Amino acid sequence: MSALLLALVGCTTTIRWPPDLWRTESADTGAGGPSTTWTATTLPTPPPAGRIVRLDWGCDVDRTAFTWDLTVDGWTAASELDLLGDNGGHEAHDLVATASDPAGAWEDLRVGPLLAGVPAEEQVPGESTRFRCDEPERMSFALRIRDAAGVLRDCVVGGADPTAVTALIRSLDPELNELGACRLARDVPSTPTTPTTP
């Protein structure tokens, strides 16, 4: 019987749970053998969800409306597009979810098509803009992305003057200081275009 008990004791398996605690052996403590201590190990943490991973924006082929299409690596809430003109005109448009991963891994967002070139006093958020397709050098934009809990996770700026629109967003949204920076739109991947054959 004692031989069977010794065989069973020698065949034990250690299950390491939780995974961030690992068993390490230390020096002899004088109490009959080495002591066992547990040390916390920091595992790599993925970046928080809520970053823009794809961005396409511009005017339609008829040059009558602007659209922004983007993909974010997680679900979002209350995300916005801000437009700023070189004359100081400002517009805010809500980003609308067009598709969401059931597991929360990504979400597609869109603003537009925004009818371009309407008078400022007739501009309607989410429907139209005072900015014109034939004057892109007069408009800058900022995309502010909040995760599903409402925490600001990403800021992407582009257009004619990214520094001016960043200053505007910093004045409107104090959370941007905690985020630390806005990324440039040119650094965010866009959807590859398929070459057309003549």
Side-chain angles (χ1 to χ4, degrees), residues 91-185:
E91 298 173 5
H93 302 271
D94 291 336
L95 292 163
V96 177
T98 58
S100 298
D101 175 50
W106 56 266
E107 190 157 69
D108 287 341
L109 302 173
R110 174 180 258 213
V111 171
L114 300 175
L115 182 61
V118 301
E121 62 277 359
E122 295 176 21
Q123 185 269 322
V124 177
E127 294 180 15
S128 59
T129 179
R130 70 187 79 189
F131 302 107
R132 297 168 40 129
C133 288
D134 59 350
E135 297 178 332
E137 71 281 358
R138 301 195 67 192
M139 180 192 70
S140 303
F141 69 88
L143 293 157
R144 289 181 285 156
I145 305 299
R146 297 183 186 283
D147 66 14
V151 177
L152 184 66
R153 292 293 183 193
D154 201 8
C155 171
V156 171
V157 295
D161 192 352
T163 58
V165 77
T166 301
L168 170 72
I169 296 308
R170 287 190 67 208
S171 71
L172 295 175
D173 194 343
E175 276 188 84
L176 189 57
N177 291 328
E178 293 174 28
L179 187 63
C182 290
R183 297 184 297 145
L184 294 174

Side-chain angles (χ1 to χ4, degrees), residues 70-88:
L70 51 138
T71 301
V72 177
D73 64 353
W75 284 355
T76 64
S79 297
E80 288 184 299
L81 165 71
D82 289 277
L83 300 177
L84 178 67
D86 63 351
N87 63 356

